[in-house]
Amino acid sequence: MNLPLFVSCNGELSPVGEAHVPIRHPALLAAFGVYETVQVSQDVPFHLAEHLNRMAFSARQIELELPAEPETIGTWVPPLLAANGAPECLLKFLVYGPGEGYPPLCFLWPEAMPRYPEHYYTGGADAITVAAERTLPTAKTLCTLVNFLARRQARRAGVHEALLLNNAGRVTEGSNSNFFVVREGVLLTAPAASVLSGVTRDLTLRLARQAGIQTGEQELPLAERGTWEEAFITSTSRHIMPLAVLDGKPIGTGRVGPLTRRLMDAFVAHFREEVSP
Ligand SMILES: Cc1ncc(COP(=O)(O)O)c(C=O)c1O
């Protein structure tokens, strides 16, 4: 089945072919909008409240008034999933900000879940670093050109992900993921003030602490990569994906590390609990 069949706009369902944004909509040129991606499994949107709260947090940062409260937007999800017959999907939320006679528009639609090669999880994926900085890095806005170009570079290089390297030579996050390393047994990731605080990132930090793993939020200079024992990326569609190779060279042993493996197992257990309690 090709998703989506139906799209929701401010809570009203319409066939996908009838959902349009006017070409002169101010959100298109200025990227004045925010978005979210939520995994749905067995009809359960995984951590929906966290995603909707983050959407509100992103919107506040660009002074965009959402067309409805996050709780109300959440009520638009079940009818959309039912209309599309999509118990397993990746749910997109796109809010086009208002302006010049246009109201704010919140579109929701389901897409097929991406499938990543199994060997990324068993042997680790590969990535390159790309000099790039996101505008308003703590907000998930429609201004995603930098991410898009970085991802295109990764694709050209034949690797899975592009890690963004800022002007100070620090790895901040992936093009659409957060980045973690393990150093001396401590799990480290860039501070929430300098990256998108991913829902999966925050959950991973929580699961790590619950498992008694020491965590820290600090800058990750690429020059210190020799001290990284393990590395992985996190995102809604990937969950925890180990990274084995960066810029053509192995990270640590170049294999999935023991702490990464523990966290992946903890994540799987948490996911099962949430979607099939
Ligand atoms: C720049 C960036 N960082 C991190 C993430 C991961 O966020 P989440 O775990 O909420 O999917 C994304 C997801 O799209 C992203 O675009």
Side-chain angles (χ1 to χ4, degrees), residues 1 4 7 33 36 39 44 61 69 72 96 107 167 173 192 200 221 232 234 238 240 253-254:
M1 178 182 52
V7 172
E36 280 297 324
Q39 181 181 3
V44 178
Q61 290 181 66
E69 292 299 319
T72 305
Y96 294 91
F107 286 99
N167 277 338
E173 59 196 317
T200 326
F232 61 82
T234 62
R238 299 178 180 90
I240 297 176
T253 61

PDB file of all heavy atoms in Angstrom, residues 1 4 7 33 36 39 44 61 69 72 96 107 167 173 192 200 221 232 234 238 240 253-254:
ATOM      1  N   MET A   1       0.848  -1.198   0.000  1.00  0.00           N
ATOM      2  CA  MET A   1       0.000   0.000   0.000  1.00  0.00           C
ATOM      3  C   MET A   1       0.887   1.253   0.000  1.00  0.00           C
ATOM      4  O   MET A   1       1.867   1.319   0.721  1.00  0.00           O
ATOM      5  CB  MET A   1      -0.876  -0.005   1.255  1.00  0.00           C
ATOM      6  CG  MET A   1      -1.749   1.212   1.356  1.00  0.00           C
ATOM      7  SD  MET A   1      -2.744   1.244   2.860  1.00  0.00           S
ATOM      8  CE  MET A   1      -1.558   0.981   4.141  1.00  0.00           C
ATOM      9  N   PRO A   4       0.863   8.286   1.859  1.00  0.00           N
ATOM     10  CA  PRO A   4      -0.431   8.321   2.528  1.00  0.00           C
ATOM     11  C   PRO A   4      -1.588   8.274   1.548  1.00  0.00           C
ATOM     12  O   PRO A   4      -1.461   8.656   0.398  1.00  0.00           O
ATOM     13  CB  PRO A   4      -0.381   9.694   3.203  1.00  0.00           C
ATOM     14  CG  PRO A   4       0.441  10.540   2.282  1.00  0.00           C
ATOM     15  CD  PRO A   4       1.444   9.620   1.642  1.00  0.00           C
ATOM     16  N   VAL A   7      -4.673  12.758   4.278  1.00  0.00           N
ATOM     17  CA  VAL A   7      -3.873  13.745   4.994  1.00  0.00           C
ATOM     18  C   VAL A   7      -4.818  14.504   5.908  1.00  0.00           C
ATOM     19  O   VAL A   7      -5.982  14.715   5.566  1.00  0.00           O
ATOM     20  CB  VAL A   7      -3.224  14.714   3.970  1.00  0.00           C
ATOM     21  CG1 VAL A   7      -2.553  15.872   4.656  1.00  0.00           C
ATOM     22  CG2 VAL A   7      -2.243  13.975   3.091  1.00  0.00           C
ATOM     23  N   GLY A  33       8.190  27.482   9.808  1.00  0.00           N
ATOM     24  CA  GLY A  33       7.355  26.359  10.211  1.00  0.00           C
ATOM     25  C   GLY A  33       8.154  25.380  11.031  1.00  0.00           C
ATOM     26  O   GLY A  33       9.375  25.508  11.177  1.00  0.00           O
ATOM     27  N   GLU A  36       7.648  17.473  12.963  1.00  0.00           N
ATOM     28  CA  GLU A  36       7.962  16.340  13.835  1.00  0.00           C
ATOM     29  C   GLU A  36       7.798  15.053  13.048  1.00  0.00           C
ATOM     30  O   GLU A  36       7.048  14.998  12.067  1.00  0.00           O
ATOM     31  CB  GLU A  36       6.996  16.277  15.043  1.00  0.00           C
ATOM     32  CG  GLU A  36       7.333  17.209  16.156  1.00  0.00           C
ATOM     33  CD  GLU A  36       8.680  16.920  16.823  1.00  0.00           C
ATOM     34  OE1 GLU A  36       9.062  15.747  16.969  1.00  0.00           O
ATOM     35  OE2 GLU A  36       9.358  17.895  17.205  1.00  0.00           O
ATOM     36  N   GLN A  39       7.165   7.675  15.283  1.00  0.00           N
ATOM     37  CA  GLN A  39       6.972   6.292  14.855  1.00  0.00           C
ATOM     38  C   GLN A  39       5.657   5.755  15.418  1.00  0.00           C
ATOM     39  O   GLN A  39       5.354   5.947  16.597  1.00  0.00           O
ATOM     40  CB  GLN A  39       8.117   5.390  15.340  1.00  0.00           C
ATOM     41  CG  GLN A  39       7.919   3.952  14.877  1.00  0.00           C
ATOM     42  CD  GLN A  39       9.010   2.997  15.335  1.00  0.00           C
ATOM     43  OE1 GLN A  39       9.927   3.385  16.059  1.00  0.00           O
ATOM     44  NE2 GLN A  39       8.907   1.758  14.901  1.00  0.00           N
ATOM     45  N   VAL A  44       0.175   2.417  17.934  1.00  0.00           N
ATOM     46  CA  VAL A  44       0.549   3.269  19.072  1.00  0.00           C
ATOM     47  C   VAL A  44       1.635   4.253  18.624  1.00  0.00           C
ATOM     48  O   VAL A  44       2.721   3.834  18.206  1.00  0.00           O
ATOM     49  CB  VAL A  44       1.100   2.418  20.250  1.00  0.00           C
ATOM     50  CG1 VAL A  44       1.518   3.321  21.407  1.00  0.00           C
ATOM     51  CG2 VAL A  44       0.080   1.391  20.696  1.00  0.00           C
ATOM     52  N   GLN A  61      10.127  29.004  19.833  1.00  0.00           N
ATOM     53  CA  GLN A  61      11.425  29.620  19.520  1.00  0.00           C
ATOM     54  C   GLN A  61      11.363  30.515  18.288  1.00  0.00           C
ATOM     55  O   GLN A  61      12.203  31.390  18.113  1.00  0.00           O
ATOM     56  CB  GLN A  61      12.488  28.536  19.318  1.00  0.00           C
ATOM     57  CG  GLN A  61      12.854  27.841  20.612  1.00  0.00           C
ATOM     58  CD  GLN A  61      13.912  26.798  20.370  1.00  0.00           C
ATOM     59  OE1 GLN A  61      15.047  27.108  20.016  1.00  0.00           O
ATOM     60  NE2 GLN A  61      13.550  25.546  20.516  1.00  0.00           N
ATOM     61  N   GLU A  69      -3.661  23.473  20.569  1.00  0.00           N
ATOM     62  CA  GLU A  69      -2.797  22.990  21.642  1.00  0.00           C
ATOM     63  C   GLU A  69      -2.246  21.604  21.267  1.00  0.00           C
ATOM     64  O   GLU A  69      -2.916  20.850  20.548  1.00  0.00           O
ATOM     65  CB  GLU A  69      -3.606  22.840  22.948  1.00  0.00           C
ATOM     66  CG  GLU A  69      -4.071  24.154  23.542  1.00  0.00           C
ATOM     67  CD  GLU A  69      -2.913  25.066  23.905  1.00  0.00           C
ATOM     68  OE1 GLU A  69      -1.913  24.569  24.439  1.00  0.00           O
ATOM     69  OE2 GLU A  69      -3.012  26.279  23.632  1.00  0.00           O
ATOM     70  N   THR A  72      -4.688  18.780  21.615  1.00  0.00           N
ATOM     71  CA  THR A  72      -5.719  18.733  20.562  1.00  0.00           C
ATOM     72  C   THR A  72      -5.133  18.137  19.284  1.00  0.00           C
ATOM     73  O   THR A  72      -5.765  17.299  18.627  1.00  0.00           O
ATOM     74  CB  THR A  72      -6.260  20.160  20.287  1.00  0.00           C
ATOM     75  OG1 THR A  72      -6.709  20.697  21.517  1.00  0.00           O
ATOM     76  CG2 THR A  72      -7.368  20.156  19.266  1.00  0.00           C
ATOM     77  N   TYR A  96       2.880  24.849   8.889  1.00  0.00           N
ATOM     78  CA  TYR A  96       3.257  26.031   8.110  1.00  0.00           C
ATOM     79  C   TYR A  96       2.762  27.253   8.868  1.00  0.00           C
ATOM     80  O   TYR A  96       1.566  27.358   9.162  1.00  0.00           O
ATOM     81  CB  TYR A  96       2.631  25.989   6.709  1.00  0.00           C
ATOM     82  CG  TYR A  96       3.158  24.858   5.861  1.00  0.00           C
ATOM     83  CD1 TYR A  96       2.543  23.619   5.851  1.00  0.00           C
ATOM     84  CD2 TYR A  96       4.301  25.044   5.083  1.00  0.00           C
ATOM     85  CE1 TYR A  96       3.039  22.579   5.076  1.00  0.00           C
ATOM     86  CE2 TYR A  96       4.807  24.012   4.312  1.00  0.00           C
ATOM     87  CZ  TYR A  96       4.174  22.782   4.307  1.00  0.00           C
ATOM     88  OH  TYR A  96       4.667  21.758   3.556  1.00  0.00           O
ATOM     89  N   PHE A 107      -0.364  20.012   9.003  1.00  0.00           N
ATOM     90  CA  PHE A 107      -0.621  18.812   8.207  1.00  0.00           C
ATOM     91  C   PHE A 107      -0.062  17.589   8.921  1.00  0.00           C
ATOM     92  O   PHE A 107       1.033  17.645   9.496  1.00  0.00           O
ATOM     93  CB  PHE A 107       0.064  18.916   6.839  1.00  0.00           C
ATOM     94  CG  PHE A 107      -0.607  19.862   5.889  1.00  0.00           C
ATOM     95  CD1 PHE A 107      -0.124  21.153   5.711  1.00  0.00           C
ATOM     96  CD2 PHE A 107      -1.719  19.451   5.167  1.00  0.00           C
ATOM     97  CE1 PHE A 107      -0.751  22.031   4.831  1.00  0.00           C
ATOM     98  CE2 PHE A 107      -2.343  20.323   4.282  1.00  0.00           C
ATOM     99  CZ  PHE A 107      -1.863  21.614   4.110  1.00  0.00           C
ATOM    100  N   ASN A 167      32.071  25.211  13.526  1.00  0.00           N
ATOM    101  CA  ASN A 167      33.265  26.023  13.254  1.00  0.00           C
ATOM    102  C   ASN A 167      34.382  25.773  14.246  1.00  0.00           C
ATOM    103  O   ASN A 167      35.552  25.998  13.959  1.00  0.00           O
ATOM    104  CB  ASN A 167      32.894  27.516  13.322  1.00  0.00           C
ATOM    105  CG  ASN A 167      32.297  27.947  12.021  1.00  0.00           C
ATOM    106  OD1 ASN A 167      32.525  27.303  10.989  1.00  0.00           O
ATOM    107  ND2 ASN A 167      31.505  29.021  12.049  1.00  0.00           N
ATOM    108  N   GLU A 173      25.792  16.934  15.976  1.00  0.00           N
ATOM    109  CA  GLU A 173      24.742  15.916  15.803  1.00  0.00           C
ATOM    110  C   GLU A 173      24.807  15.416  14.367  1.00  0.00           C
ATOM    111  O   GLU A 173      25.643  15.865  13.582  1.00  0.00           O
ATOM    112  CB  GLU A 173      23.366  16.520  16.103  1.00  0.00           C
ATOM    113  CG  GLU A 173      23.018  17.692  15.213  1.00  0.00           C
ATOM    114  CD  GLU A 173      21.858  18.540  15.733  1.00  0.00           C
ATOM    115  OE1 GLU A 173      20.860  17.972  16.197  1.00  0.00           O
ATOM    116  OE2 GLU A 173      21.969  19.786  15.661  1.00  0.00           O
ATOM    117  N   ALA A 192      22.288  19.866  25.235  1.00  0.00           N
ATOM    118  CA  ALA A 192      20.987  20.147  24.619  1.00  0.00           C
ATOM    119  C   ALA A 192      20.891  21.586  24.123  1.00  0.00           C
ATOM    120  O   ALA A 192      20.103  21.885  23.231  1.00  0.00           O
ATOM    121  CB  ALA A 192      19.868  19.859  25.618  1.00  0.00           C
ATOM    122  N   THR A 200      14.539  10.659  21.013  1.00  0.00           N
ATOM    123  CA  THR A 200      15.278   9.400  21.198  1.00  0.00           C
ATOM    124  C   THR A 200      16.539   9.641  22.023  1.00  0.00           C
ATOM    125  O   THR A 200      16.942   8.798  22.825  1.00  0.00           O
ATOM    126  CB  THR A 200      15.645   8.799  19.820  1.00  0.00           C
ATOM    127  OG1 THR A 200      14.610   9.081  18.897  1.00  0.00           O
ATOM    128  CG2 THR A 200      15.877   7.308  19.915  1.00  0.00           C
ATOM    129  N   PRO A 221      34.856  17.445  20.553  1.00  0.00           N
ATOM    130  CA  PRO A 221      35.797  17.833  19.496  1.00  0.00           C
ATOM    131  C   PRO A 221      36.233  16.620  18.678  1.00  0.00           C
ATOM    132  O   PRO A 221      36.560  15.574  19.257  1.00  0.00           O
ATOM    133  CB  PRO A 221      36.990  18.412  20.273  1.00  0.00           C
ATOM    134  CG  PRO A 221      36.499  18.657  21.652  1.00  0.00           C
ATOM    135  CD  PRO A 221      35.398  17.682  21.891  1.00  0.00           C
ATOM    136  N   PHE A 232      27.480   5.924  18.666  1.00  0.00           N
ATOM    137  CA  PHE A 232      26.217   5.560  18.017  1.00  0.00           C
ATOM    138  C   PHE A 232      25.407   6.814  17.735  1.00  0.00           C
ATOM    139  O   PHE A 232      25.712   7.902  18.255  1.00  0.00           O
ATOM    140  CB  PHE A 232      25.418   4.536  18.838  1.00  0.00           C
ATOM    141  CG  PHE A 232      25.001   4.968  20.216  1.00  0.00           C
ATOM    142  CD1 PHE A 232      23.865   5.747  20.424  1.00  0.00           C
ATOM    143  CD2 PHE A 232      25.741   4.570  21.331  1.00  0.00           C
ATOM    144  CE1 PHE A 232      23.467   6.123  21.700  1.00  0.00           C
ATOM    145  CE2 PHE A 232      25.343   4.944  22.624  1.00  0.00           C
ATOM    146  CZ  PHE A 232      24.204   5.717  22.808  1.00  0.00           C
ATOM    147  N   THR A 234      21.225   8.294  17.316  1.00  0.00           N
ATOM    148  CA  THR A 234      19.842   7.975  17.697  1.00  0.00           C
ATOM    149  C   THR A 234      18.879   8.834  16.887  1.00  0.00           C
ATOM    150  O   THR A 234      19.190   9.982  16.550  1.00  0.00           O
ATOM    151  CB  THR A 234      19.584   8.272  19.197  1.00  0.00           C
ATOM    152  OG1 THR A 234      19.776   9.675  19.440  1.00  0.00           O
ATOM    153  CG2 THR A 234      20.487   7.469  20.109  1.00  0.00           C
ATOM    154  N   ARG A 238      15.516   5.280  13.627  1.00  0.00           N
ATOM    155  CA  ARG A 238      16.633   4.330  13.812  1.00  0.00           C
ATOM    156  C   ARG A 238      16.670   3.722  15.206  1.00  0.00           C
ATOM    157  O   ARG A 238      17.290   2.710  15.404  1.00  0.00           O
ATOM    158  CB  ARG A 238      17.975   5.042  13.613  1.00  0.00           C
ATOM    159  CG  ARG A 238      18.220   5.649  12.261  1.00  0.00           C
ATOM    160  CD  ARG A 238      19.576   6.342  12.307  1.00  0.00           C
ATOM    161  NE  ARG A 238      19.950   6.976  11.072  1.00  0.00           N
ATOM    162  CZ  ARG A 238      19.658   8.251  10.771  1.00  0.00           C
ATOM    163  NH1 ARG A 238      18.967   9.002  11.611  1.00  0.00           N
ATOM    164  NH2 ARG A 238      20.059   8.766   9.619  1.00  0.00           N
ATOM    165  N   ILE A 240      18.505   3.226  18.397  1.00  0.00           N
ATOM    166  CA  ILE A 240      19.954   3.374  18.640  1.00  0.00           C
ATOM    167  C   ILE A 240      20.683   2.595  17.553  1.00  0.00           C
ATOM    168  O   ILE A 240      20.512   1.383  17.438  1.00  0.00           O
ATOM    169  CB  ILE A 240      20.344   2.832  20.027  1.00  0.00           C
ATOM    170  CG1 ILE A 240      19.654   3.654  21.127  1.00  0.00           C
ATOM    171  CG2 ILE A 240      21.870   2.844  20.207  1.00  0.00           C
ATOM    172  CD1 ILE A 240      19.908   3.143  22.541  1.00  0.00           C
ATOM    173  N   THR A 253      37.053  -0.053  18.446  1.00  0.00           N
ATOM    174  CA  THR A 253      37.448  -1.329  17.819  1.00  0.00           C
ATOM    175  C   THR A 253      36.842  -1.476  16.429  1.00  0.00           C
ATOM    176  O   THR A 253      37.139  -2.436  15.718  1.00  0.00           O
ATOM    177  CB  THR A 253      36.938  -2.517  18.665  1.00  0.00           C
ATOM    178  OG1 THR A 253      35.507  -2.430  18.705  1.00  0.00           O
ATOM    179  CG2 THR A 253      37.512  -2.496  20.077  1.00  0.00           C
ATOM    180  N   GLY A 254      35.947  -0.555  16.077  1.00  0.00           N
ATOM    181  CA  GLY A 254      35.285  -0.679  14.775  1.00  0.00           C
ATOM    182  C   GLY A 254      34.161  -1.712  14.814  1.00  0.00           C
ATOM    183  O   GLY A 254      33.666  -2.134  13.774  1.00  0.00           O
TER     184      GLY A 254
END
